[in-house]
Amino acid sequence: MKIQRFSRVGFIMAAAGSAVGLGNIWKFPYMTGEYGGGAFVLVYLFTIAFIGFSVMVAEMLIGALGRKDTVGSFETLAPPNKKYWKYAGLIGFNGIIIMTFYSVVIGWIFYYLIILMFGLPSTTEDAKTIFDTLVTQSPGVAIFYHTIAVIIVGYIVHKGIKSGIEKINLILMPALMLILFGLLLYAFSLDGFTKAWSFMFEPKWDKLNSEAIVRAVGHSFFTLSLGMGAIMTYAASLPKDANITKTAFIVTFMDTFIALIAGLVIFSFLFQFGASPSQGPGLVFISLPTILDNFGSLGIIFALLFFLSLAFAGITSAISLVEPVVQYLIDRFDFSRTKAVAFISSIYWLVGIAALLSYTKGWGDLFSIAGKPIFDILEYTTDSILLPLGGLLIAIFIGYEIHQDRVKAELEPEMGEKVYKVWRFSIRYIAPISLLFMMLNLMGIIKI
Ligand code: PFF
């Protein structure tokens, strides 16, 4: 076994680094805006508490007991006559599919970090032009920044668990939190803050439709990095006597807290100048820079800090998306770490270019399937199919297949009898049923 061990704080920061990502700072605010605020946030919080947290414990447990790459851990823990469960470990590959578009978005963020230094767009039209030009008309620029993202992520992962992943998370995570807290402190002083608060925490139930519910459940999995083997792979390097329940709780809490802070910061700025919250994925790339222009040169500093926190969040998540397959190649095929990183990075770099070209005017048709850009297909496949499927497999494996005494021996002392019972009910019934439901709904097989 070639697995190194994290320190206790190192693990918490690495797992939180995986969870806190573009999903928290980019996706959560724009989804909240699109689905009308409070009620969406409430469903999201509810799912995190009752499903996300249970699956996080389950995924960590598989890693901590299996102590191998994802395939190896499933294989080790499966009952002797059911070794086919090892194939469930292939969920580790989902991360690479996510990376194809995740690294493109990190590339956009790098580009923004450079251009925003020279000034902010003063009208929404200008901001739209900047974003559209990057995404639809400048494949060379987008490929350049995507490549930089792939190289940075690859470099960190190639340094390994201790001197790469742990080290970078111990630096970037506190830095990210510091930036967001600082921005929140400033947001407090704005009139927009009260509006942001009521937008996010006063539910308007009439805005909540079935689509919003399904998206909230899906997002709670994405944001906690579940169903991809990322948390499982990190947990294989947990320090020996770590308390899984407590660790999962801290990570879940940090992830949720940071998403809420990011939302409050963005909406405070937007509402301060009367902008609308429902602008979709362009919220952070188009509306925010324009609004910040109202603050003069302070606005540039805010924008740079904000995009820096976004870049940090993206990088720490990206390394956790790449590590599972790297560990798999090292364990199963005796690859050296460097070779594994180079191999897997080249693949997702190439597919990422196809994804990125699918948004451009010149190449869009060529890189679309049935009129849908490859970028959207990759995102849809992971969000709606692979991620809930991964969660489902984890819940069934821990809830039904693995020796139940083993699970109990591990978790009951940590949770106490009552909480353990609730957790078990959640992992056996609530999680699988909701995940199945969500998957069928997103795939259009059933409609609620
Ligand atoms: N949790 C990350 C985010 O919110 O952006 C994304 C992610 C990372 C998903 C790692 C899945 C994963 F395994």
Side-chain angles (χ1 to χ4, degrees):
M1 234 15 286
K2 306 168 188 88
I3 286 183
Q4 299 175 323
R5 294 258 159 96
F6 283 109
S7 70
R8 210 170 291 210
V9 190
F11 179 82
I12 291 178
M13 285 300 168
S18 167
V20 175
L22 304 182
N24 300 60
I25 308 180
W26 170 52
K27 233 171 153 182
F28 172 71
Y30 86 69
M31 285 174 89
T32 304
E34 270 187 330
Y35 294 114
F40 175 84
V41 175
L42 217 67
V43 177
Y44 168 82
L45 292 179
F46 189 82
T47 332
I48 296 236
F50 290 98
I51 309 176
F53 173 66
S54 312
V55 178
M56 167 85 76
V57 170
E59 188 164 339
M60 260 187 207
L61 188 65
I62 299 178
L65 293 177
R67 294 277 171 196
K68 293 204 170 86
D69 68 285
T70 48
V71 175
S73 287
F74 268 103
E75 190 176 24
T76 311
L77 300 178
N81 57 340
K82 291 188 172 174
K83 288 298 177 195
Y84 51 75
W85 266 102
K86 72 175 179 196
Y87 295 111
L90 295 176
I91 57 170
F93 278 82
N94 295 348
I96 292 304
I97 307 182
I98 295 192
M99 269 315 277
T100 59
F101 57 86
Y102 209 80
S103 67
V104 173
V105 182
I106 298 179
W108 296 347
I109 295 165
F110 287 168
Y111 173 77
Y112 266 69
L113 272 171
I114 304 286
I115 59 147
L116 294 182
M117 276 196 261
F118 301 102
L120 299 172
S122 47
T123 62
T124 311
E125 281 317 305
D126 288 350
K128 262 201 186 115
T129 312
I130 295 176
F131 189 60
D132 285 350
T133 311
L134 169 68
V135 175
T136 64
Q137 289 166 40
S138 321
V141 178
I143 291 175
F144 174 76
Y145 286 100
H146 161 64
T147 309
I148 299 215
V150 174
I151 292 174
I152 293 180
V153 171
Y155 178 75
I156 300 168
V157 177
H158 120 279
K159 297 286 263 179
I161 289 280
K162 287 299 280 184
S163 40
I165 298 177
E166 174 165 323
K167 208 164 166 189
I168 200 78
N169 274 295
L170 283 173
I171 300 169
L172 295 191
M173 282 308 285
L176 172 138
M177 288 189 270
L178 212 67
I179 296 176
L180 282 180
F181 283 134
L183 289 174
L184 180 71
L185 224 58
Y186 186 82
F188 272 142
S189 70
L190 302 173
D191 293 338
F193 183 81
T194 335
K195 289 184 201 146
W197 183 272
S198 50
F199 178 69
M200 284 183 63
F201 298 115
E202 283 168 18
K204 294 183 194 64
W205 294 108
D206 51 316
K207 296 250 167 138
L208 194 71
N209 52 23
S210 60
E211 186 190 322
I213 297 177
V214 172
R215 293 296 302 267
V217 178
H219 187 63
S220 69
F221 266 70
F222 184 83
T223 191
L224 291 177
S225 297
L226 299 173
M228 302 277 158
I231 295 293
M232 195 182 295
T233 304
Y234 278 3
S237 300
L238 257 177
K240 232 190 169 80
D241 49 353
N243 182 319
I244 291 177
T245 312
K246 208 160 109 190
T247 311
F249 182 80
I250 297 174
V251 173
T252 308
F253 182 82
M254 279 171 79
D255 184 74
T256 313
F257 196 57
I258 291 181
L260 295 177
I261 290 181
L264 280 172
V265 166
I266 292 175
F267 291 124
S268 299
F269 283 127
L270 289 182
F271 292 155
Q272 180 73 9
F273 293 97
S276 132
S278 55
Q279 299 172 13
L283 188 71
V284 159
F285 290 103
I286 298 169
S287 322
L288 192 68
T290 320
I291 285 294
L292 288 175
D293 188 49
N294 293 304
F295 292 93
S297 40
L298 199 60
I300 299 193
I301 297 174
F302 286 157
L304 289 174
L305 283 174
F306 182 82
F307 276 90
L308 201 61
S309 74
L310 207 50
F312 289 172
I315 291 170
T316 51
S317 294
I319 53 183
S320 79
L321 286 161
V322 176
E323 175 65 10
V325 178
V326 167
Q327 195 60 56
Y328 169 79
L329 292 174
I330 296 174
D331 270 11
R332 301 257 138 183
F333 297 96
D334 242 355
F335 273 46
S336 70
R337 191 166 261 278
T338 311
K339 194 171 147 198
V341 171
F343 175 70
I344 211 64
S345 303
S346 336
I347 294 179
Y348 84 78
W349 174 72
L350 267 178
V351 184
I353 291 180
L356 164 169
L357 289 176
S358 73
Y359 272 174
T360 58
K361 290 224 168 76
W363 299 87
D365 289 344
L366 194 65
F367 289 96
S368 295
I369 299 171
K372 264 199 171 288
I374 290 185
F375 192 111
D376 293 358
I377 296 177
L378 288 164
E379 196 186 358
Y380 174 83
T381 314
T382 43
D383 256 21
S384 314
I385 305 171
L386 297 177
L387 194 138
L389 182 68
L392 193 64
L393 289 171
I394 289 167
I396 295 176
F397 187 67
I398 284 289
Y400 296 91
E401 295 291 12
I402 185 174
H403 208 295
Q404 292 302 304
D405 291 347
R406 201 156 174 205
V407 176
K408 193 170 176 180
E410 202 67 39
L411 297 181
E412 204 181 51
E414 291 180 4
M415 295 180 172
E417 202 181 322
K418 277 203 192 104
V419 179
Y420 176 71
K421 276 204 177 115
V422 177
W423 173 81
R424 202 171 131 77
F425 185 76
S426 165
I427 212 68
R428 282 170 70 90
Y429 303 103
I430 305 180
I433 292 172
S434 350
L435 282 166
L436 197 66
F437 203 63
M438 177 192 126
M439 222 165 108
L440 296 177
N441 197 284
L442 281 171
M443 289 163 71
I445 297 174
I446 52 165
K447 271 271 158 264
I448 48 169

